[in-house]
Amino acid sequence: MERIDVAVVGGGPAGSSAGRAAARQGAETVVLEKGVPREDRDRPGPDSTDAAGMLDYWVDLMDLPEPVPDDVILRELDGATFAGPSERITIRETGMKSSYPNFGFTFHRARFDDWLRERCEAAGGEYRVGKSVRNVEVDPRDGHVLTLANGHEIEAEYLILADGPQRTVTRGVLSEFVGESRLEGLSSRRANHIAYQEYREFPPELFPDDRIVFWWGAMPGHTAYPWVFPNDGNVARVGLTMPIGLDIDEVENRESYRLLEPDDDSIPSGSEYIRRLLESEYPDYDLEDFPLVEDRGKRKGVESYPISSTKPIDSPVGAKVAVAGGAMGTTSAFHEGGDHVAVRTGKIAGSLAGAGALSAYNREWKRAVGDEIARNVAMADVVGGFGPDDWDRTFGAVGRMMKDGTYSPLRVPRAGRAGLSVFAKYERARFGYRNGGYVQIEESEYAI
């Protein structure tokens, strides 16, 4: 049996960051990645599907010791547009302190993953692709035993789970420490949104070259929205996020959602939603004016991927197990995948495991990304019951508080009663999540 110090399951942003950090501590570390193909990658790698945008302060939150390489960055951003049914605002700053000079950037997620993998390997971590984990026998005293699909066994003192929001391995491991009923909130259908996107070439006159664009209140569902992310050239990712398993019969005021049609007997597919978005947003153009770019994405310019719950979990660190990134629920529909928190939580888990101090992990990830998580879960609470009219009222209120895309405290009185009510609700929700109150499974619940 192969024996190592740290085993990492999953080779995405969290896993690669964990592997690098553990190896830098001198720990013998192996990152296990099952590997999937992509049109724009010449070798199998992690499931690199994401809208792939990075805001200015997220760069600092990742805590990278070096800048993201130029060949990873596709487009520098000057702002973001949020469109409701009739109200539309564009913001030009995030309002968060950051060292990055611009609003943010879009980036090539596969190249980003490959860069993180190279950093892991340069630090001495071993990155194995095509190595699916079939079973894990948890033993914090004598070492966890991982059995791979080919029957090979690896014994590791520390185990870091970074297998993404589907939690293929994570749920089985956690079931050793907590009842199945507590894990129901981590199931794919309850915890995840599904995201779908297409790579399309835009007519030059329509291409949003310096902004990302989101449409809210256009389709039903909690935090459901389409988007456009500009890439290189005139290519953009046109996509959407929506809940898994939404029943159209449960949608109230169906006629108010412009991407639904009267004869829909089920929620439209992602590709149908995108067709309707392009046709309604650009009525003077045909779908053929936005051709698919088939040498990108997972397959022929199209890809889908899950996004996990907005509420994270603690890890059973007493058993020498840590969960990082999407597997722990740090990603969300508001993060578009949350690469920044995945990188940071992976780095923390790896550093502590490599140093033999994993018991501090739950405290340290909250210290590093807790404010970011609290903001997102609070916002999810606020907009949970929003319909199209609510989005219009909110964007209208925000717009009245802004000047040239920048928030102005002097304009707060212009928000009106409805706008101030939304902000008050958000502040109350965020206050309720103080001291880690956003965690859905706490460390104390694990029986070790």
Side-chain angles (χ1 to χ4, degrees):
M1 183 185 295
E2 181 181 5
R3 290 175 172 82
I4 61 174
D5 298 317
V6 180
V8 182
V9 179
S16 289
S17 299
R20 179 181 187 273
R24 282 175 57 82
Q25 294 287 350
E28 187 175 358
T29 306
V30 173
V31 178
L32 301 165
E33 167 57 46
K34 64 180 180 181
V36 297
R38 285 182 61 87
E39 298 285 354
D40 48 11
R41 176 190 278 139
D42 59 6
R43 59 181 177 177
D47 195 0
S48 304
T49 46
D50 199 337
M54 190 70 64
L55 298 180
D56 54 5
Y57 75 97
W58 292 358
V59 177
D60 294 324
L61 195 147
M62 283 192 293
D63 194 31
L64 295 169
E66 58 198 280
V68 176
D70 290 341
D71 68 331
V72 173
I73 297 174
L74 296 172
R75 181 77 58 173
E76 293 287 349
L77 298 173
D78 186 46
T81 294
F82 298 85
S86 59
E87 295 281 352
R88 180 174 295 220
I89 60 172
T90 296
I91 62 173
R92 298 294 182 182
E93 61 177 31
T94 63
M96 305 292 288
K97 183 180 179 181
S98 68
S99 62
Y100 195 77
N102 300 320
F103 182 85
F105 56 85
T106 60
F107 61 98
H108 193 297
R109 170 62 194 275
R111 291 179 195 164
F112 182 68
D113 282 350
D114 288 345
W115 173 61
L116 293 175
R117 169 183 176 174
E118 291 162 4
R119 295 173 75 248
C120 172
E121 292 175 325
E126 187 174 353
Y127 191 109
R128 301 180 188 175
V129 182
K131 307 299 180 183
S132 297
V133 176
R134 186 178 68 196
N135 184 60
V136 178
E137 294 182 12
V138 181
D139 190 338
R141 291 186 177 181
D142 297 327
H144 310 297
V145 177
L146 291 75
T147 303
L148 307 187
N150 63 1
H152 181 66
E153 293 185 338
I154 299 174
E155 182 183 281
E157 181 177 3
Y158 292 96
L159 174 63
I160 298 176
L161 300 166
D163 53 341
Q166 291 178 307
R167 303 176 174 104
T168 307
V169 177
T170 293
R171 284 200 64 188
V173 172
L174 295 182
S175 68
E176 297 287 329
F177 310 110
V178 68
E180 188 64 30
S181 62
R182 294 294 291 124
L183 297 177
E184 289 180 359
L186 305 183
S187 65
S188 293
R189 294 188 65 83
R190 289 193 57 177
N192 288 344
H193 284 60
I194 189 72
Y196 172 87
Q197 67 179 359
E198 299 174 353
Y199 292 73
R200 290 187 174 269
E201 186 170 0
F202 271 53
E205 64 273 19
L206 300 181
F207 189 72
D209 60 351
D210 65 349
R211 291 174 293 114
I212 49 179
V213 184
F214 303 90
W215 288 266
W216 295 85
M219 52 190 289
H222 176 50
T223 60
Y225 54 96
W227 69 74
V228 169
F229 277 52
N231 279 17
D232 51 319
N234 288 328
V235 177
R237 280 161 286 173
V238 189
L240 56 93
T241 299
M242 61 181 174
I244 294 175
L246 183 64
D247 186 347
I248 197 168
D249 292 331
E250 297 179 0
V251 176
E252 298 180 358
N253 303 317
R254 287 176 46 178
E255 69 284 351
S256 63
Y257 295 96
R258 70 180 174 116
L259 297 187
L260 288 183
E261 296 180 354
D263 58 351
D264 285 335
D265 56 10
S266 62
I267 294 296
S269 65
S271 60
E272 177 63 18
Y273 263 140
I274 287 178
R275 181 190 68 79
R276 294 179 185 182
L277 173 71
L278 293 174
E279 289 180 348
S280 64
E281 190 68 17
Y282 311 107
D284 296 331
Y285 294 79
D286 297 324
L287 190 63
E288 291 72 21
D289 295 321
F290 305 86
L292 275 173
V293 183
E294 295 189 353
D295 63 350
R296 306 195 184 195
K298 261 187 176 179
R299 189 173 187 274
K300 300 297 183 181
V302 173
E303 57 193 24
S304 61
Y305 51 96
I307 298 177
S308 67
S309 165
T310 57
K311 289 188 177 181
I313 61 171
D314 274 339
S315 294
V317 292
K320 298 183 178 179
V321 174
V323 191
M328 69 180 288
T330 55
T331 58
S332 76
F334 287 102
H335 278 151
E336 282 311 319
D339 297 310
H340 57 307
V341 282
V343 168
R344 187 64 179 274
T345 55
K347 178 180 180 179
I348 295 169
S351 295
L352 294 172
L358 195 61
S359 60
Y361 175 60
N362 292 321
R363 180 181 70 251
E364 289 303 307
W365 75 252
K366 293 185 184 74
R367 182 185 62 81
V369 301
D371 287 345
E372 177 76 346
I373 298 297
R375 281 190 291 269
N376 279 277
V377 295
M379 183 59 69
D381 287 349
V382 170
V383 306
F386 269 27
D389 290 344
D390 298 301
W391 286 112
D392 264 347
R393 281 192 293 270
T394 300
F395 292 152
V398 173
R400 290 190 292 274
M401 291 189 293
M402 298 176 64
K403 182 178 181 180
D404 299 326
T406 300
Y407 167 74
S408 172
L410 297 177
R411 290 174 170 248
V412 169
R414 299 186 181 190
R417 181 178 298 177
L420 294 175
S421 175
V422 169
F423 283 99
K425 183 178 179 182
Y426 167 74
E427 291 297 336
R428 287 195 300 270
R430 192 172 65 164
F431 181 77
Y433 289 123
R434 67 193 186 282
N435 301 323
Y438 44 75
V439 171
Q440 63 173 309
I441 299 179
E442 298 181 357
E443 180 181 345
S444 60
E445 297 182 63
Y446 295 112
I448 300 171

